[in-house]
């Protein structure tokens, strides 16, 4: 099929699906399948502008115009939203948005109501007309039908012109009753009924259907809002039904007045620090089950209107909002085989080999099966038809068996490592190869070390390292720095230029700070976060080794953010002769194994000599080790329990017995606000930067 033919076929499929969905209220494909087709068409069209067509569904933003209903122009363009399916993607969007405006991001998170979009137009305090979304610019006039919806006010107190966007829906209970009594179970779901019903030609029929509305955005003619929150409150004050769930997440401290305002307007509000926004998204799938109406995701919006304007729009959607959809795209295919991968830590992961299938724009031929228990739970065999899904950029996973094939032999999990044949050991849900010399583990460690998120040795990619490892040239990490790459000259693919590049990027990697080097070693449980805590507490590898060799668990568990498992792993790793030998070589070749001195000198150590215990929960510091890290950064010591040595107790909400104990030993009790002030004042006064600049940096750091 040529690109042109593909574009035409996609346009036809999408148009058919839209007609079925909007006009006949009868979906012929899932939302996700629709999204995938739509995205694919948009991509092809942007790559091939020569096939532009003003009637393409992409040019119409998903038109739902019904020819039998009168049409009318919208006074504001009715845009739709960009979407994502995973917490990772959502976090990526938040980070990107925050990067643009570091010190001042507030986000609102609302349920994405699974109904039918509508715009209500009021003027002189009265509902004048109501339009479906249509193609975003022209919609169908459904005023008479909308007037039968009981929770739509026909009069509001605002007397200027205002367009109000909302979603017409029906509760799940009302849907079941109506569908049984009047619909002969014709409607597959509440959304289809809400959409079909609101477009009926006879409004007397609409009145029998208990439709409702939630509004979520309005555009008054003469009113300027500084925030989305103000916009929502304005609608509420005008008697328009806003949803009671309003999540408000900010990188700033939130004052009581604002907190009160939100709680009063939205009975089910949640207010939190920006870093808890993703946690809220995940938690909402539980709340979703308790709702008596359908939602298909959440809508995340930048609260500040001035920032929205700065963020602007793409061709299809605003950059200041995104929909997080609960259901990820899935595809069906056949399981052809299973292979067992050995990770750098020895974990064995069963990987499904699939008949290639397209999923969310890419062709998938492998998907994870997680572990033996998961395989058993699925009851999967070669030849079965399976459903696979992909949330964001993560590896696709096999979700379920949709049809059994002929094979009923259970899939067996190997007893021996597929790489080195050592007997596997089970730890928790996973099997591991315990042989530290297992070739796959060794290669995995090298690839991890040189990888983009670690030392980032660009010219030593996975394939190059595999070649060097298989030819016994690079076996352990230190070989990367000691091997004479000129020996490769003459080997196919290794010309002078490539070798020079390797030397250059290997040399470049020596500039990585100590925390990156430490995390790149791939030691058990010591990832980026643990490495950072170790560096902040010990400042050099020698100090870490010295502490680990005392083999005193408590020495490490006293550090905030360190549990027993991690403490034990640090002790085990830094007592391993092979690792110590590697560190020695790596140190000699010039890798950083201590914090840069310059940094230490620059840091303001105004808390030195103080000993803190942190207790209770905090609005700004989540998890609370964030506060502990700040204390340490400014020279203070953090202890896990209150004793006579404690000089300060940083005390959050719901502090327990530590508060009493701290009082009894005469420690200073510092609450969250005072602590933030202390940091702001001391750091701002020390440096020559203007106060406001410094403050912005502190806020950024707190997030
Ligand atoms: S905001 C520019 N908020 O989801 C503002 N939309 O593509 C865009 N929807 O067509 C819409 N609940 O019909 C927004 N709380 C909510 C929503 C919501 C449902 C629908 C809306 C829109 C689609 C997003």
């Amino acid at each position: 099929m040529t690109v042109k033919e593909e574009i035409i076929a996609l346009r036809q499929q999408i148009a058919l699906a839209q007609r079925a969905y909007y006009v006949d209220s009868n979906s012929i494909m899932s939302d996700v399948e629709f999204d995938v087709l739509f995205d694919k068409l948009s991509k092809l069209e942007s790559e091939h502008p020569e096939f532009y067509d003003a009637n393409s569904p992409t040019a119409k933003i998903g038109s739902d115009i019904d020819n039998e209903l009168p049409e009318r122009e919208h006074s504001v363009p009715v845009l739709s939203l960009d979407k994502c399916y995973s917490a990772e993607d959502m976090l990526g969007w938040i980070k990107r948005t925050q990067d643009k405006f570091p010190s001042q991001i507030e986000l609102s998170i609302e349920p994405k109501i699974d109904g039918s979009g509508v715009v209500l137009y009021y003027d002189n305090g009265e509902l004048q007309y109501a339009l479906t979304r249509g193609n975003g610019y022209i919609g169908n006039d459904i005023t008479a039908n909308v007037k039968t919806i009981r929770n739509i006010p026909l009069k509001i107190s605002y007397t200027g012109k205002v367009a109000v966007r909302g979603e017409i829906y029906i509760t799940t209970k009302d849907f079941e009753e109506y569908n049984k009594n009047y619909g002969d179970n014709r409607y597959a779901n509440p959304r289809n009924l809400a959409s079909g019903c609101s477009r009926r030609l006879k409004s007397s029929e609409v009145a029998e259907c208990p439709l409702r509305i939630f509004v979520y955005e309005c555009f008054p003619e003469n009113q300027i809002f500084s925030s989305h929150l103000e916009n929502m409150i304005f609608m509420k004050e005008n008697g328009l039904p806003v949803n009671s769930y309003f999540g408000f997440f900010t990188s700033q401290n939130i004052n009581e007045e604002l907190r009160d305002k939100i709680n009063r307007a939205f009975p089910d509000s949640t207010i939190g620090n920006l870093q808890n926004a993703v946690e809220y998204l995940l938690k909402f799938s539980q709340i979703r089950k308790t709702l008596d109406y359908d939602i298909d995701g959440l809508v995340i919006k930048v609260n500040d209107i001035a920032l929205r304007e700065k963020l602007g729009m793409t061709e299809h959607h605003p950059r200041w909002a995104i929909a997080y959809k609960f259901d990820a795209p899935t595809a069906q295919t056949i399981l052809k085989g299973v292979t067992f991968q050995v990770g750098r830590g020895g974990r064995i992961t069963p990987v499904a080999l699939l008949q290639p299938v397209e999923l969310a724009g890419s062709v998938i031929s492998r998907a994870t099966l997680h572990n033996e228990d998961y395989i058993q739970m699925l009851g999967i065999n070669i030849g079965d038809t399976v459903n696979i899904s992909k949330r964001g950029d993560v590896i696709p996973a096999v979700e379920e068996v949709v049809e059994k094939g002929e094979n009923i032999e259970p899939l067996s999990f190997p007893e021996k490592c597929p790489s080195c044949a050592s007997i596997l050991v089970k730890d928790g849900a996973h099997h591991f190869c315990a042989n530290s010399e297992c070739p796959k583990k060794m290669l995995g460690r090298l690839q991890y070390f040189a990888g983009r998120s670690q030392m980032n040795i660009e010219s030593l990619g996975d394939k190059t390292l595999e070649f060097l490892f298989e030819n016994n040239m690079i076996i352990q990490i230190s070989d990367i720095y000691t091997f004479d790459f000129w020996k490769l000259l003459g080997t196919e693919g290794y010309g002078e230029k490539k070798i020079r590049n390797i030397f250059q990027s290997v040399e470049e990697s020596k500039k990585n700070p100590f925390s990156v080097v430490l995390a790149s070693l791939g030691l058990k449980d010591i990832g980026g976060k643990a490495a950072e805590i170790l560096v902040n507490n010990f400042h050099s590898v020698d100090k870490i080794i010295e502490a680990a060799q005392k083999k005193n668990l408590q020495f490490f568990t006293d550090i905030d953010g360190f549990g027993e498992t991690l403490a034990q792993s640090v002790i085990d790793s830094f007592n391993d002769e092979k690792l110590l030998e590697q560190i020695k070589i790596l140190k000699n070749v010039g890798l950083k194994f201590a914090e840069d001195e310059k940094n230490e000198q620059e840091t303001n150590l105004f808390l030195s000599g103080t000993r803190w215990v942190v207790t209770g929960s905090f609005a700004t510091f989540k998890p609370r080790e964030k506060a502990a890290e700040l204390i340490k950064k400014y020279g203070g010591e953090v202890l896990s329990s209150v004793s006579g040595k404690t000089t300060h107790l940083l005390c959050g909400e719901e502090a327990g017995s530590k508060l009493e104990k701290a009082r009894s030993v005469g420690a200073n009790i510092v609450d969250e606000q005072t602590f933030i002030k202390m940091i702001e004042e001391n750091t701002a006064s020390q440096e020559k930067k203007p106060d406001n600049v410094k403050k912005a940096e502190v806020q950024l750091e707190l997030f």
Side-chain angles (χ1 to χ4, degrees):
M1 208 192 286
T2 64
V3 174
K4 188 172 177 190
E5 283 163 350
E6 197 175 353
I7 288 180
I8 292 171
L10 282 167
R11 283 177 184 156
Q12 278 169 351
Q13 271 175 294
I14 292 170
L16 272 178
Q18 280 176 330
R19 163 118 213 132
Y21 180 96
Y22 290 117
V23 182
D24 308 330
S25 295
N26 172 30
S27 306
I28 54 168
M29 63 176 73
S30 71
D31 277 11
V32 169
E33 283 167 312
F34 180 87
D35 290 346
V36 169
L37 291 183
F38 196 89
D39 288 349
K40 195 167 163 192
L41 177 59
S42 308
K43 190 163 172 267
L44 283 176
E45 285 179 339
S46 66
E47 285 164 5
H48 298 276
E50 66 272 27
F51 303 132
Y52 172 79
D53 180 347
N55 290 320
S56 168
T58 54
K60 293 179 163 191
I61 333 180
S63 173
D64 65 355
I65 291 181
D66 186 332
N67 295 335
E68 291 182 73
L69 287 164
E71 288 175 13
R72 189 163 177 171
E73 211 173 320
H74 283 288
S75 65
V76 281
V78 189
L79 300 166
S80 68
L81 295 176
D82 197 5
K83 56 195 170 299
C84 69
Y85 298 96
S86 72
E88 289 83 20
D89 281 2
M90 199 59 252
L91 198 61
W93 182 87
I94 297 177
K95 288 233 165 86
R96 280 196 304 280
T97 311
Q98 206 205 5
D99 277 351
K100 293 177 189 151
F101 305 102
S103 58
Q104 42 173 338
I105 285 286
E106 290 167 351
L107 297 177
S108 70
I109 305 187
E110 302 156 26
K112 184 172 180 306
I113 313 299
D114 198 7
S116 182
V118 68
V119 188
L120 312 173
Y121 288 91
Y122 288 87
D123 193 7
N124 283 325
E126 283 182 16
L127 177 66
Q128 303 291 339
Y129 58 98
L131 305 181
T132 63
R133 199 181 87 188
N135 62 14
Y137 303 98
I138 295 170
N140 285 126
D141 190 325
I142 53 166
T143 316
N145 294 351
V146 159
K147 283 187 172 169
T148 70
I149 300 177
R150 267 152 282 182
N151 71 343
I152 294 187
L154 300 181
K155 287 184 188 301
I156 59 171
S157 47
Y158 179 73
T159 52
K161 280 197 170 96
V162 55
V164 181
R165 281 193 69 174
E167 197 83 358
I168 297 176
Y169 72 98
I170 181 166
T171 64
T172 33
K173 195 163 149 273
D174 286 343
F175 163 72
E176 274 157 28
E177 237 165 72
Y178 181 93
N179 204 22
K180 207 161 53 196
N181 298 337
Y182 301 95
D184 304 328
N185 287 321
R186 189 153 54 95
Y187 296 98
N189 54 47
R191 188 206 38 226
N192 284 356
L193 174 59
S195 159
C197 221
S198 54
R199 276 156 231 262
R200 291 266 168 86
L201 296 176
K202 287 188 199 154
S203 29
S204 57
E205 286 180 10
V206 184
E208 284 164 9
C209 182
L211 296 177
R212 295 166 200 239
I213 194 169
F214 278 123
V215 296
Y216 50 76
E217 200 96 40
C218 76
F219 307 86
E221 186 187 35
N222 298 319
Q223 182 100 10
I224 296 164
F225 300 118
S226 61
S227 69
H228 179 56
L229 176 64
E230 297 302 330
N231 188 322
M232 293 286 276
I233 290 177
F234 171 86
M235 289 191 286
K236 186 168 171 148
E237 284 171 350
N238 274 282
L240 288 152
V242 292
N243 194 279
S244 63
Y245 285 90
F246 188 78
F248 189 81
F249 296 89
T250 171
S251 57
Q252 289 169 315
N253 295 320
I254 187 157
N255 64 41
E256 281 313 307
E257 201 184 319
L258 185 56
R259 197 178 282 274
D260 261 13
K261 199 170 180 177
I262 297 173
N263 286 334
R264 252 184 284 120
F266 310 99
D268 298 303
S269 56
T270 298
I271 300 168
N273 192 282
L274 199 49
Q275 72 196 38
N276 300 111
V278 170
E279 200 181 294
Y280 181 71
L281 292 184
L282 300 174
K283 199 180 89 185
F284 217 95
S285 51
Q286 293 304 318
I287 300 177
R288 180 191 188 189
K289 293 182 192 147
T290 69
L291 303 177
D292 66 347
Y293 48 87
D294 281 354
I295 64 171
D296 60 340
L298 295 161
V299 182
I300 294 89
K301 300 173 182 173
V302 169
N303 184 45
D304 190 297
I305 304 295
L307 284 195
R308 284 188 180 187
E309 274 158 23
K310 284 187 195 150
L311 284 161
M313 321 242 306
T314 72
E315 227 173 295
H316 296 299
H317 46 73
R319 283 202 192 87
W320 44 260
I322 189 164
Y324 164 77
K325 294 192 114 182
F326 293 129
D327 296 320
T330 60
Q332 270 187 20
T333 185
I334 294 167
L335 182 72
K336 292 287 190 191
V338 176
T339 177
F340 294 86
Q341 253 175 19
V342 189
R344 68 185 164 86
R347 188 201 279 183
I348 311 294
T349 306
V351 176
L353 304 174
L354 306 163
Q355 184 168 300
V357 63
E358 194 174 321
L359 175 62
S362 44
V363 176
I364 307 295
S365 54
R366 293 158 79 90
T368 179
L369 283 161
H370 304 296
N371 53 43
E372 186 180 27
D373 296 347
Y374 193 73
I375 290 181
Q376 272 173 9
M377 188 200 79
L378 291 176
I380 196 173
N381 295 104
I382 314 279
D384 288 355
T385 303
V386 294
N387 232 338
I388 60 165
S389 83
K390 189 175 162 194
R391 288 195 170 262
D393 285 337
V394 295
I395 311 155
V398 175
E399 297 285 348
E400 58 177 348
V401 173
V402 279
E403 203 184 318
K404 292 298 296 173
E406 284 172 5
N407 200 345
I408 48 158
E409 274 293 280
L411 267 183
S412 60
F413 208 87
E415 284 172 5
K416 290 180 181 169
C417 172
S419 167
C420 69
S422 310
I423 298 287
L424 298 179
V425 286
K426 204 169 175 201
D427 187 3
H430 301 284
H431 286 79
F432 289 86
C433 167
N435 173 13
S436 63
E437 314 267 288
C438 169
K440 274 274 186 284
K441 282 169 71 173
M442 292 175 81
L443 174 60
R445 282 199 289 265
L446 289 173
Q447 291 171 331
Y448 178 76
F449 179 86
R452 204 182 306 157
S453 318
Q454 273 65 43
M455 297 295 277
N456 192 19
I457 312 182
E458 248 176 64
S459 55
L460 288 184
D462 285 0
K463 283 266 168 296
T464 307
L465 280 172
E466 192 176 338
F467 171 81
L468 295 168
F469 180 78
E470 278 170 3
N471 287 286
N472 280 325
M473 292 164 167
I474 289 185
I475 305 294
Q476 42 196 4
I477 290 170
S478 58
D479 298 339
I480 293 176
Y481 296 92
T482 55
F483 179 65
D484 178 8
F485 291 96
W486 287 119
K487 285 192 179 148
L488 288 165
L489 195 63
T491 312
E492 203 190 321
Y494 291 89
E496 200 181 318
K497 193 162 166 227
K498 164 107 182 169
I499 294 176
R500 280 195 197 288
N501 278 344
I502 296 181
F503 272 120
Q504 199 190 338
S505 58
V506 166
E507 203 50 39
E508 193 70 17
S509 75
K510 294 181 185 170
K511 293 184 188 151
N512 279 308
F514 175 34
S515 57
V516 172
V517 175
L518 189 55
S520 304
L521 294 175
L523 306 176
K524 187 166 178 276
D525 300 323
I526 308 178
K529 181 114 194 84
E532 232 166 75
I533 301 180
L534 280 171
V535 173
N536 287 341
N537 279 274
F538 295 94
H539 313 290
S540 74
V541 82
D542 294 341
K543 292 265 166 55
I544 300 174
I545 296 171
E546 196 186 309
Q549 292 188 341
K550 290 191 180 126
K551 298 193 182 170
N552 179 353
L553 214 57
Q554 207 196 331
F555 201 85
F556 290 97
T557 50
D558 270 353
I559 303 173
D560 244 277
F562 260 62
E564 278 199 14
T565 319
L566 181 51
Q568 191 59 56
S569 297
V570 172
I571 292 177
D572 291 348
S573 291
F574 290 94
N575 277 289
D576 173 0
E577 284 306 321
K578 281 188 198 143
L579 174 71
L580 300 181
E581 184 57 33
Q582 282 287 295
I583 291 177
K584 210 161 137 193
I585 306 174
L586 292 172
K587 225 182 189 181
N588 281 339
V589 297
L591 261 66
K592 290 189 182 162
F593 278 96
E595 244 179 337
D596 284 343
E597 285 196 358
K598 209 170 114 248
N599 280 348
E600 274 175 69
Q601 273 165 15
E602 266 178 12
T603 310
N604 167 355
L605 298 176
F606 77 97
L607 291 178
S608 63
T610 57
R611 284 185 293 273
W612 295 66
V613 169
V614 183
T615 188
S617 61
F618 299 88
T620 323
F621 309 108
K622 277 186 185 147
R624 64 167 174 244
E625 83 201 27
K626 291 249 167 217
E629 273 169 35
L630 275 183
I631 296 172
K632 282 180 233 156
K633 177 171 176 191
Y634 294 113
E637 211 180 310
V638 179
L639 312 160
S640 59
S641 55
V642 180
S643 71
K645 287 198 288 177
T646 313
T647 58
H648 292 75
L649 181 83
L650 175 56
C651 183
E653 297 281 312
E654 286 159 35
S657 58
K658 283 183 180 161
L659 177 58
E660 253 164 62
K661 181 125 195 250
R663 280 205 182 106
S664 73
V665 298
N668 295 301
I669 315 290
V670 181
D671 66 19
E672 187 172 4
Q673 291 308 322
T674 317
F675 178 67
I676 291 170
K677 238 192 191 155
M678 257 168 99
I679 304 249
E680 279 180 355
E681 280 168 6
N682 282 287
T683 52
S685 62
Q686 264 260 322
E687 290 166 40
K688 284 168 218 86
K689 287 178 187 166
D691 263 22
N692 56 346
V693 174
K694 191 63 212 164
K695 269 194 183 137
E697 282 173 12
V698 170
Q699 269 156 3
L700 178 59
E701 191 173 83
L702 295 184
F703 170 61

